[in-house]
Amino acid sequence: MSSAPEIKQHSRAAHSEYAHQHSKLDPQTRAIANLDTKLSNPLRGIPRDQLMSDVEVFAKERGLTHILPDLQKGALLAQDPDAYNSLSDFTEEDRQILSDEVNHKWKQTRTLYYMVVMSSMAAAVQGMDEAVINGAQIIYPTQFGIGDPNSARDGWLIGLVNSAPYLCCAIISCWLSDPLNQWLGRKKTIFVTCMISFITCIWSGLTNTWWHLFIARFFLGFGIGPKSATVPVYAAECSPAAIRGALVMMWQMWTAFGIFLGDLIDLVFYFIPDTPGVTGLNWRLMLGSAGVPGLIVCLQVLFAPESPRWLISKNRYEDAFKELCRLRFSPVQAARDLYYIHILLEAENEMKKGRNRVVEMFTIPRNRNAALASWVVMFGQQFCGVNVIAYYSSNIFLKSGFSQVAALASSMGFGALNFLFAFPAVFTIDTFGRRNLLLFTFPCMAICLLITGFSFWDPFEKGRVAGVSIGIYLFAIFYSPGEGPVPFTYSAEAFPLYIRDIGMSFATATTWFWNFVLSITYPSLQLAFKPQGAFGWYAAWCMILWVLILLFVRETKGKTLEELDQVFSVPLTVHAAYGLRQIPYGFKKFILFQNPTPEQLYIAESDSEESSGIDEQGKKEVRADVEKGGN
């Protein structure tokens, strides 16, 4: 066993090693750090006289001279959010509103909350689209002649039908998100995708062959993929900074609510009898009902504000200001956001000139490390096995000895727990950190999956039913605050600003592709391996993912843009070695209850300079390189 002095010496050596590496960052990473610094606040350091002159020119060019006083005050706020406390330009009313923005952050306009409700409903549509097939697929296969539980062919066909939307998302619809948003804007994209969800859900309920249902559900993917990328972005672009993160996270929480609602509808409609000339009315209503919330969103979104950022990108500044006035309490707040968005867009456009951002996402080490980490967490969101339960829990409960009604009711219990335990994620994700949450919950999920699978060996029906239920419900409890919200949050912050939209498209396509693989293979997997082997397979993947997270996923909690650049600039091999060294540390701390000294790998630039002994001339050279962007 290593002594405390040895641990400290090792930690200092690792600290010094990283400091030396940081002082010699490659020029590309330094350029990215410079880009992020500029994009984090392009107004930083501009003298007041020049700022006021720039605002006046901006107002004249954009036809906004009628709001010039508000724009000038807004620019001062955009440069320094606390300026209203020290400058005489602001009235008492301005100060009160701006103070409330900080001290009473949930005090917002009705229009903003209307947008929140609409976005939450769109997320629920997403969840229902995913969940209603869970109940329908214990009924429709028999009607379509593919219901033989011992047929590998039928298992593949059921998996193909169930996974059809996610195949569409992975290969086509996710990649349409950017062009649709460019052409139509956020509002119209949400309208179109929800209308597609409504039409294809009704279409699914009218099918009479498995291949017809496959086609209808494949086209449902055009309503799922772009919506999953657009709604969180729309919420972020309409929200004030103080509550932006919480509102974006609501996407995952209300998707979980949609899954619960879909499971509830499956149970309610199961009892609907057939009518003359219509067979399978119950499963048809299950599939068709998922379209109703989509229609409600279509009616809502017509009255919601358009994204101000999108309007500004289309040179519609007057419209953007009007929408911001609807979303904020005062014209000063609206003018501040208008000018700041304008400056950010100009800076982003300047940064993108002459760059192939897709290529740079994989060729520059800092970006590649972020892409790898995002891929791991997005892949893990599927191969932890959660959607095996979300899509097939009714069949799983049936095989354990439940009746069809009891299986649907038990599936609803999984949906309810998945929703309820998403609430703690709002607090735990920024308290415990993304990486720590994943490292804690993945072994727990593996144990829960093993409990579920091994329960099928219980010869007594009551014990088997109890074991399967306990395993699945505990799995939901551990999944919801960990691997549920972390992947989308992590991917949204890991990439540098100039490639963030492309990085999110990559991350979203990753999760939908593996969603497709998971849902198409499970029926055949459980037929070949039995439920015990199938759940053991995903338990094993949970442990593999634990190792991948330990080695390749970096902590992003509470990091500034500059600190994130440092975190993702640590070479892959150095971070992997650091991860392996955390195993004995964790064993001593959590198993032996000792108090070992933690190793610090992510350190501030000032710390790294001090610990590495860089002289003043060396510091100046490093800073000069960063200021030049590494050129």
Side-chain angles (χ1 to χ4, degrees), residues 168-184 189 193 196 221-222 225-227 229-230 505:
C168 177
C169 288
I171 64 175
I172 304 176
S173 68
C174 276
W175 303 103
L176 295 177
S177 300
D178 187 59
L180 281 174
N181 278 274
Q182 288 294 324
W183 298 334
L184 302 177
T189 297
T193 52
I196 290 173
F222 288 100
K227 182 163 76 266
T230 301
S505 294

Side-chain angles (χ1 to χ4, degrees), residues 580-630:
L580 290 175
R581 291 194 297 271
Q582 285 189 300
I583 296 176
Y585 167 80
F587 181 80
K588 293 171 185 176
K589 183 175 180 65
F590 300 109
I591 304 299
L592 301 180
F593 300 104
Q594 296 178 359
N595 191 28
T597 303
E599 178 182 340
Q600 298 296 326
L601 183 66
Y602 310 136
I603 55 179
E605 184 176 354
S606 59
D607 293 337
S608 66
E609 290 171 348
E610 181 182 352
S611 63
S612 60
I614 302 175
D615 60 19
E616 284 302 316
Q617 182 60 33
K619 294 179 185 179
K620 290 178 182 177
E621 291 175 359
V622 170
R623 292 193 186 103
D625 282 341
V626 173
E627 287 172 1
K628 291 183 209 173

Side-chain angles (χ1 to χ4, degrees), residues 298-345:
C298 287
L299 297 176
Q300 275 190 310
V301 77
L302 298 174
F303 304 100
E306 179 54 274
S307 161
R309 181 185 172 92
W310 182 82
L311 290 169
I312 291 173
S313 72
K314 298 302 178 184
N315 208 31
R316 295 168 56 182
Y317 284 83
E318 185 68 41
D319 292 336
F321 181 71
K322 289 177 181 177
E323 296 291 38
L324 282 166
C325 286
R326 294 177 63 196
L327 290 162
R328 306 290 183 261
F329 280 115
S330 76
V332 172
Q333 291 172 303
R336 172 200 61 194
D337 294 348
L338 178 79
Y339 188 67
Y340 193 56
I341 293 169
H342 161 75
I343 292 296
L344 279 176
L345 281 172

Side-chain angles (χ1 to χ4, degrees), residues 34 82 158 181 190 221 236 290 391 414 488 526 535 541 547 586 614:
N34 193 41
D82 293 326
I158 292 172
N181 278 274
I190 295 170
Y391 302 154
F414 168 78
F488 278 90
Q526 65 88 27
F535 280 97
W541 270 110
V547 174
I614 302 175

Side-chain angles (χ1 to χ4, degrees), residues 139-149 151 153-155 157-158 208-210:
I139 307 171
Y140 79 78
T142 302
Q143 183 177 333
F144 289 167
I146 56 172
D148 185 352
S151 169
R153 169 188 173 273
D154 289 0
L157 291 179
I158 292 172
N208 284 304
T209 61
W210 70 262

